[in-house]
Amino acid sequence: MAVHAFRQLRDFLNSQVIGQPELTEHLLIALLADGHLLVEGPPGLAKTRAVNALAKGIEGDFHRIQFTPDLLPADLTGTDIYRPETGEFKFQRGPLFHNLILADEINRAPAKVQSALLEAMAERQITVGKRTYKLPPLFTVMATQNPIEQEGTYPLPEAQLDRFLLHLVLDYPDAETEQRILQLTRNESIQGEHSMPQPLSQNAIFAARKATLSLHMETSIETYLVQLVMATRRPAAYSDELANWIEYGVSPRASIALERCARARAWLLGRDFVTPDDVAAVAHNVLRHRLILSYQAEADGVTADKVLDTILQLVPAP
């Protein structure tokens, strides 16, 4: 029943966001794995629309934050406001206290603001002055980056990137999909937007998260998952070429993310067990932002995706 409800939600997302099935699938994977999503792609690829549609499909509230160079940490977390009538300070909650957050163009804000967001993502709490405030139990951030305009941006350091469960790279749709997008927007202008039949309750989401953790995973698949991670740290054991490409491998947080995302994918497909294909299917989006490539790799035009393709070829699947 729970899987059926999530499939309905996925179908609804795909009806609202044409031509981005990977984005809609990984939004649900991030929701199930209790993690956050970083999406990189040109403007106009329905990133905001996708999160809006997800917010309509679940019981929860949504807030969009446009990151700019003049943004302050208090603009995210909130601040203490003085009340003259009582002579006391009262905490005014900021936008981070919503369930779904779209952090638009996160790399346009300075480091202090990025840190305020990423601390909330990691600790699920906010500290203002001497007080700490818990964030909602359901708290998911989707941050976006624009790869075209790099002037006036503050790239996320590698340690902060590691806080994101997944990193998706989107591209423009093909001609057929573009035509379907035109038809969708025209129909919406005439008929209005489709509504989600029955929003998912937060309790259903928490129950689904527990269900994914109870899926069966063979020891051989755990070993395969760990070997993929170890190949990024000890690449010389697999090939000299790989060793020349990788400066630093991925962290233990990557192993946890890889397992949780593989479990979430298997559960969404209606299985009660995880396969090597589940691990391989999410490997690029889990690992690409955690790899630090060497200067030689960058000079040769080698991307993180090419490195991961090579690792998946060299590490034998069970």
Side-chain angles (χ1 to χ4, degrees), residues 210-224:
K210 288 183 179 179
T212 63
L213 295 176
S214 66
L215 261 60
H216 177 69
M217 179 182 279
E218 288 282 353
T219 305
S220 60
I221 296 176
E222 277 190 1
T223 302
Y224 173 58

Side-chain angles (χ1 to χ4, degrees), residues 85-96:
E85 61 273 16
T86 61
E88 297 178 345
F89 285 91
K90 185 176 180 180
F91 181 64
Q92 183 73 41
R93 295 190 170 198
L96 287 186

Side-chain angles (χ1 to χ4, degrees), residues 4-5 8-9 11-13 15 56-57 194-200:
H4 177 68
Q8 278 190 321
L9 177 56
D11 293 342
F12 171 70
L13 292 177
S15 73
K56 292 175 184 175
H194 299 288
S195 59
M196 176 71 186
Q198 180 65 43
L200 271 174

Side-chain angles (χ1 to χ4, degrees), residues 67 81 151 184 277:
F67 277 53
I81 304 293
E151 186 176 349
L184 174 66
D277 287 343

Side-chain angles (χ1 to χ4, degrees), residues 9 12-17 24 27 46-58 62 100 193-196:
L9 177 56
F12 171 70
L13 292 177
N14 286 330
S15 73
Q16 297 298 298
V17 184
T24 56
L27 267 174
K47 297 185 288 290
T48 304
R49 183 183 176 91
V51 182
N52 256 318
L54 181 62
K56 292 175 184 175
I58 65 175
F62 164 70
L100 294 176
E193 291 188 12
H194 299 288
S195 59
M196 176 71 186

Side-chain angles (χ1 to χ4, degrees), residues 67-298:
F67 277 53
T68 56
D70 60 348
L71 205 65
L72 298 173
D75 295 329
L76 302 183
T77 61
T79 188
D80 289 321
I81 304 293
Y82 181 70
R83 303 292 184 186
E85 61 273 16
T86 61
E88 297 178 345
F89 285 91
K90 185 176 180 180
F91 181 64
Q92 183 73 41
R93 295 190 170 198
L96 287 186
F97 285 88
H98 291 77
N99 300 114
L100 294 176
I101 305 292
L102 176 65
D104 216 358
E105 295 191 283
I106 186 176
N107 55 334
R108 290 208 171 275
K112 281 186 178 181
V113 178
Q114 293 178 4
S115 296
L117 173 66
L118 294 164
E119 180 185 4
M121 289 165 51
E123 306 298 330
R124 304 301 174 98
Q125 64 183 28
I126 286 170
T127 303
V128 178
K130 296 181 179 179
R131 293 188 178 182
T132 298
Y133 303 90
K134 291 286 185 182
L135 290 172
L138 179 64
F139 178 67
T140 298
V141 174
M142 176 173 146
T144 69
Q145 285 191 145
N146 183 348
I148 298 175
E149 298 177 22
Q150 295 300 327
E151 186 176 349
T153 60
Y154 303 82
L156 293 173
E158 285 78 6
Q160 294 183 346
L161 281 171
D162 196 34
R163 300 287 181 180
F164 285 97
L165 181 80
L166 296 159
H167 176 203
L168 265 66
V169 179
L170 304 183
D171 203 356
Y172 289 116
D174 56 28
E176 182 183 349
T177 303
E178 194 87 17
Q179 193 166 352
R180 289 169 58 206
I181 293 170
L182 290 176
Q183 294 166 359
L184 174 66
T185 54
R186 184 170 63 248
N187 290 337
E188 285 183 349
S189 299
I190 297 171
Q191 303 170 4
E193 291 188 12
H194 299 288
S195 59
M196 176 71 186
Q198 180 65 43
L200 271 174
S201 69
Q202 293 190 21
N203 286 336
I205 294 170
F206 298 144
R209 287 177 178 176
K210 288 183 179 179
T212 63
L213 295 176
S214 66
L215 261 60
H216 177 69
M217 179 182 279
E218 288 282 353
T219 305
S220 60
I221 296 176
E222 277 190 1
T223 302
Y224 173 58
L225 185 153
V226 170
Q227 289 305 315
L228 289 176
V229 169
M230 296 308 294
T232 70
R233 299 180 197 165
R234 298 170 186 167
Y238 292 89
S239 79
D240 292 337
E241 186 178 48
L242 204 58
N244 290 332
W245 287 345
I246 299 176
E247 188 73 22
Y248 292 100
V250 300
S251 71
R253 194 180 281 118
S255 303
I256 298 170
L258 196 54
E259 186 207 16
R260 288 193 174 182
C261 290
R263 287 178 176 276
R265 181 180 186 271
W267 188 85
L268 282 171
L269 292 174
R271 283 189 267 104
D272 60 358
F273 59 93
V274 182
T275 69
D277 287 343
D278 293 320
V279 177
V282 298
H284 285 75
N285 292 327
V286 171
L287 302 178
R288 70 158 58 92
H289 57 299
R290 294 179 162 98
L291 273 178
I292 300 178
L293 303 185
S294 66
Y295 288 114
Q296 181 177 337
E298 292 178 2

